[in-house]
Amino acid sequence: MYSREIRHDGLNKFRVIRGKSLYEVDQKAEMQLRVWEDQWNRVVKRHEESLLKSNKRATAQQLSDQLKKERQLAEEYLILTIKSNKTVDLRTDLQRRTFDAEEPIAPELESIRQMPDPKAKVYQPIYNIIEQILPFLATNKKEEARKRYDREHRIWMNEKEEIESRNEGKWNEYQSNYLKWKNDKESFEKNEKERLEFLESVFDNYRTQKEGSIEGYFDYLLNRFTLLDYIPIQRNMKYLIDTKTLYIEQYLPSIEELPSIKEIKYVVEGDEFVEIPLSNKFLNEFYDRLIYSLILSYLHLIFSNDKRNKIDSIAFNGYVDTINKGTGNSETPCIASIFVSREEFESINLEFVNPKTCFKQLKGVGSSKLHTLTSVPPVIKMDWDDDRIIDGKETLSQMDDTTNLAAMDWQDFEHLIREVFEREFSKNGGEVKITQASRDGGVDAIAFDPDPLRGGKIVIQAKRYTNTVGVAAVRDLYGTVMNEGAIKGILVSTADYGPDAYNFAKDKPLTLLNGSNLLYLLENHGHKAVIDLKAAKEGRRLNE
């Protein structure tokens, strides 16, 4: 699994996005960031609108009504989901949407009147008879005529500059608006093309029953009916065709992400808006009801939209990304889990149930107070296929009591470890898989322990060493355990471990098995072998 942490400083939110590929993680992260940005824009818009209103008491009441409306939507989430599901036809999503913004209209530019003509009669001196005979007597009139023209010309130049400036401003504004409109239109059409291509592939794959189509179709369906923007659109799905079971790991909001403001009041004395918070008791009950409603709504959406009857049962585990207040570290506890069959679920009239009572009636598992984010063991542990896993190879049957484990081919040694632990874990219903040597990332085998209390994923490393194992190998194992999200790591070596290795493993979820421990395990399962480190070293020197 790949992961990426995303944040929104304005909303003070963070989330860990997970997926099976970097592309999937980026797509989900992008979608979540867009949801947060829309939410933030509404917050900003709400604030800006409040500042513009002269009647601040009316503004406070308007904001309080909006908060109440959002709270009511959450309180009635299950009923609203059922109603939405009845009235929405998913096929309408395939209709091409149009870009509604109107193209900016080019402005009408102001015209500039014609420049004054210096030869015009109005700018010529008018001589009397004497001045016509004696022109030197008309000098003043000539000067006055010239000044009259110069004055009109200056007025014209000023008008021209002002009009050109206004025209330039209008044209620049139009060009800016047009460019923005053009870019928005191209972006919309590009996104619309990608949206339709994605939906067509989702619906097409579901119709033709391609591999992965069930997961893709219902992932889209649940996103489509997510009614509140603080509900994560992050989940992992896996469909098992043999049992017709859909496994879901759904990420849920934490209580901190819910709207916690009851109302907004305007205080005249301080000329300020004051936020009145919801009581902790109300918020806790509000959160629990929402989570139970959310889970039931997901189950309802899947069963009611499974028109091809591909799903007989659903296993649902709900996780929350949160910060442990004691350690300050990120955690993702499972706070609710349920396994339900179609027959069980469809016998319930969801429109009249109490969400918590219904969840418990269906034998769902969750702490008595979900808002505490107390971790619970999933009803069914998710066994996600690892694409590194390859088919195992029989090695135990080819061994005898003279086989020197330290001199085995290194790949055969990894298969041997897989076989030994497979027999060890199979006693409790577990399984062990070997990984590809070229891309194991520090994992040679992966064990899945199904025990609901202590079970989970265990990584195993096999070291066919002839020298003492140092602390570096143990550190690497611990890092791998953390990266894989495993509950434990087991390091198996044909040699022994140094004191620093044992000291590092102390108080960590690590088990170090040396050559003697390995021989003991083999004997427990009816096989004998030897570990001769000296012979193995000499054999390698001769081969070199």
Side-chain angles (χ1 to χ4, degrees):
M1 299 290 287
Y2 294 85
S3 66
R4 170 184 166 190
E5 184 174 308
I6 59 174
R7 295 180 181 275
H8 193 289
D9 294 332
L11 296 172
N12 195 26
K13 289 187 177 184
F14 93 99
R15 180 153 296 134
V16 179
I17 301 295
R18 301 176 178 84
K20 294 181 180 178
S21 69
L22 286 173
Y23 175 79
E24 181 182 351
V25 169
D26 288 342
Q27 289 296 304
K28 290 183 176 180
E30 189 73 22
M31 191 179 295
Q32 184 65 72
L33 287 170
R34 281 202 299 269
V35 168
W36 281 346
E37 194 58 30
D38 289 342
Q39 186 180 358
W40 175 245
N41 288 337
R42 286 198 295 275
V43 171
V44 172
K45 184 179 179 183
R46 185 186 301 164
H47 177 67
E48 290 174 347
E49 288 174 349
S50 70
L51 295 177
L52 293 173
K53 290 185 178 293
S54 58
N55 189 338
K56 295 187 177 180
R57 281 197 179 90
T59 300
Q61 186 60 52
Q62 183 183 5
L63 296 174
S64 296
D65 291 345
Q66 180 63 29
L67 290 169
K68 184 178 179 181
K69 184 179 179 181
E70 291 174 0
R71 196 159 57 245
Q72 188 174 3
L73 175 60
E75 289 174 344
E76 300 176 1
Y77 195 90
L78 179 57
I79 299 300
L80 291 172
T81 300
I82 294 170
K83 289 181 178 178
S84 299
N85 186 39
K86 287 179 179 178
T87 58
V88 174
D89 182 357
L90 283 180
R91 287 174 299 182
T92 60
D93 291 0
L94 288 170
Q95 295 177 358
R96 181 175 290 278
R97 299 178 300 197
T98 57
F99 184 65
D100 294 331
E102 293 185 5
E103 180 179 349
I105 299 173
E108 291 186 12
L109 302 181
E110 297 178 55
S111 59
I112 300 172
R113 66 186 175 89
Q114 191 173 7
M115 185 180 72
D117 184 1
K119 295 180 181 180
K121 186 176 181 180
V122 69
Y123 303 122
Q124 303 301 318
I126 300 174
Y127 303 122
N128 57 34
I129 295 174
I130 296 173
E131 290 168 339
Q132 290 177 7
I133 298 170
L134 303 171
F136 67 90
L137 295 176
T139 303
N140 290 338
K141 287 187 176 181
K142 288 182 180 178
E143 183 64 22
E144 286 174 5
R146 185 186 64 77
K147 288 180 179 180
R148 191 163 56 251
Y149 174 78
D150 288 347
R151 184 171 60 252
E152 288 300 315
H153 187 267
R154 281 195 303 273
I155 291 172
W156 178 83
M157 284 294 295
N158 289 337
E159 285 181 3
K160 177 176 178 291
E161 289 174 1
E162 288 176 4
I163 292 172
E164 285 177 342
S165 177
R166 286 197 297 270
N167 284 346
E168 184 180 10
K170 289 178 183 178
W171 188 256
N172 288 342
E173 182 181 4
Y174 163 72
Q175 289 282 55
S176 176
N177 291 338
Y178 177 80
L179 185 60
K180 182 181 183 303
W181 175 85
K182 183 172 178 289
N183 290 337
D184 289 347
K185 185 173 186 289
E186 289 174 353
S187 177
F188 175 87
E189 290 175 345
K190 178 177 179 291
N191 291 335
E192 185 64 6
K193 181 175 180 290
E194 292 174 352
R195 183 186 74 86
L196 290 175
E197 287 175 352
F198 168 73
L199 287 184
E200 284 167 0
S201 69
V202 167
F203 293 136
D204 234 24
N205 291 344
Y206 180 63
R207 181 178 55 80
T208 56
Q209 303 180 42
K210 289 185 179 177
E211 185 178 352
S213 62
I214 299 291
E215 296 93 299
Y217 179 77
F218 287 104
D219 186 46
Y220 172 74
L221 177 81
L222 298 187
N223 287 342
R224 175 68 170 74
F225 285 96
T226 297
L227 305 179
L228 296 167
D229 52 20
Y230 52 79
I231 293 175
I233 50 176
Q234 166 73 18
R235 68 187 61 85
N236 300 315
M237 286 187 172
K238 176 183 174 185
Y239 176 67
L240 290 188
I241 192 170
D242 293 339
T243 59
K244 298 177 75 173
T245 299
L246 183 65
Y247 289 108
I248 305 172
E249 281 186 348
Q250 173 69 45
Y251 291 85
L252 306 169
S254 66
I255 195 167
E256 288 82 7
E257 295 179 271
L258 269 61
S260 59
I261 305 302
K262 180 181 180 181
E263 59 181 322
I264 296 175
K265 289 188 174 181
Y266 174 63
V267 180
V268 179
E269 291 80 3
D271 188 26
E272 61 180 346
F273 291 104
V274 177
E275 295 180 343
I276 310 300
L278 293 164
S279 69
N280 287 335
K281 182 176 183 298
F282 179 89
L283 198 56
N284 292 340
E285 293 173 353
F286 177 62
Y287 178 80
D288 286 17
R289 179 178 178 83
L290 173 62
I291 297 302
Y292 288 123
S293 298
L294 184 62
I295 294 172
L296 293 176
S297 72
Y298 283 160
L299 299 176
H300 164 72
L301 287 169
I302 292 170
F303 281 130
S304 63
N305 286 279
D306 179 29
K307 308 301 183 185
R308 298 181 178 276
N309 291 319
K310 293 295 180 182
I311 300 171
D312 285 346
S313 54
I314 299 172
F316 181 101
N317 295 335
Y319 294 84
V320 176
D321 282 325
T322 186
I323 301 292
N324 185 308
K325 295 297 189 289
T327 65
N329 296 324
S330 299
E331 292 183 351
T332 309
C334 174
I335 66 166
S337 179
I338 189 171
F339 180 83
V340 63
S341 68
R342 178 191 291 272
E343 185 179 2
E344 281 180 291
F345 194 79
E346 291 183 344
S347 67
I348 293 170
N349 189 343
L350 277 182
E351 294 190 39
F352 300 101
V353 302
N354 174 286
K356 179 177 180 180
T357 305
C358 179
F359 181 82
K360 299 294 184 182
Q361 179 75 25
L362 293 170
K363 299 182 176 61
V365 175
S367 65
S368 58
K369 299 175 180 178
L370 293 182
H371 57 269
T372 62
L373 304 187
T374 303
S375 182
V376 298
V379 173
I380 291 184
K381 194 82 172 178
M382 299 302 178
D383 177 11
W384 304 104
D385 281 341
D386 192 320
D387 61 5
R388 297 167 296 182
I389 290 173
I390 59 174
D391 292 333
K393 174 184 174 183
E394 286 286 332
T395 52
L396 282 174
S397 60
Q398 301 171 18
M399 285 175 42
D400 57 33
D401 56 7
T402 64
T403 301
N404 184 2
L405 300 183
M408 285 182 73
D409 175 82
W410 64 273
Q411 287 182 311
D412 287 343
F413 183 70
E414 288 181 2
H415 284 283
L416 168 70
I417 298 305
R418 190 267 309 166
E419 277 192 89
V420 172
F421 279 95
E422 189 171 52
R423 298 192 180 191
E424 188 68 24
F425 278 96
S426 64
K427 293 184 291 187
N428 298 319
E431 60 176 332
V432 178
K433 301 290 185 182
I434 194 167
T435 62
Q436 297 183 51
S438 60
R439 40 191 301 230
D440 62 6
V443 181
D444 296 324
I446 298 173
F448 297 97
D449 186 346
D451 190 285
L453 295 178
R454 58 177 174 78
K457 181 180 181 181
I458 300 169
V459 295
I460 303 168
Q461 287 183 343
K463 303 294 185 185
R464 189 213 53 181
Y465 283 4
T466 55
N467 295 318
T468 301
V469 182
V471 70
V474 186
R475 281 202 187 97
D476 289 345
L477 172 63
Y478 186 58
T480 301
V481 170
M482 296 297 102
N483 290 334
E484 292 281 334
I487 62 166
K488 186 178 184 179
I490 301 174
L491 185 59
V492 187
S493 175
T494 48
D496 207 341
Y497 300 88
D500 52 352
Y502 283 114
N503 285 333
F504 181 84
K506 188 179 179 182
D507 300 326
K508 293 183 178 67
L510 303 176
T511 298
L512 307 183
L513 300 180
N514 60 19
S516 299
N517 300 136
L518 178 55
L519 292 176
Y520 177 76
L521 275 175
L522 284 169
E523 286 188 28
N524 272 352
H525 297 288
H527 293 274
K528 289 188 177 182
V530 296
I531 294 179
D532 188 334
L533 301 180
K534 184 178 179 181
K537 288 179 182 178
E538 291 176 353
R540 285 176 200 164
R541 278 198 295 269
L542 289 173
N543 289 334
E544 291 171 355

